[in-house]
Amino acid sequence: MNVSDAAKDFASVVNKVYVEGISIDLERDDEVIARLTPAEPHSPLTVAELNAVLSKLPSLGDDADGFARDVRAIRAEFPAEASPWG
């Protein structure tokens, strides 16, 4: 990410690093000059481990449509700008 772009909304960039647990390379003139990295892992699980856990969960079956409706209703109550996930 270009340093100038990161500076425009630095708080959002820091939040992305924290919430997603990712590192962001900061560049100037196409050269990485710094890296913004979480202080510690946000979760003890790796993405691969999480995928393995999720793949073993039972299917929602007939409840899937109702669950999707509930999730949409909850999301509608919280505008994207109020969410840490954007």
Side-chain angles (χ1 to χ4, degrees):
M1 171 179 277
N2 182 285
V3 171
S4 297
D5 293 339
K8 289 176 187 173
D9 194 2
F10 189 69
S12 177
V13 174
V14 170
N15 193 53
K16 184 176 182 75
V17 169
Y18 175 72
V19 170
E20 295 182 27
I22 61 170
S23 296
I24 296 179
D25 289 342
L26 301 174
E27 302 173 356
R28 182 177 290 143
D29 299 324
D30 294 326
E31 179 184 354
V32 175
I33 61 169
R35 181 169 291 126
L36 190 57
T37 304
E40 57 186 71
H42 192 66
S43 170
L45 290 177
T46 65
V47 172
E49 292 167 334
L50 178 59
N51 285 338
V53 168
L54 294 176
S55 71
K56 294 176 184 171
L57 292 176
S59 170
L60 289 174
D62 294 339
D63 294 330
D65 290 337
F67 179 75
R69 277 192 304 275
D70 292 345
V71 169
R72 282 192 297 274
I74 292 168
R75 285 182 174 170
E77 292 181 32
F78 298 96
E81 58 271 2
S83 169
W85 301 281

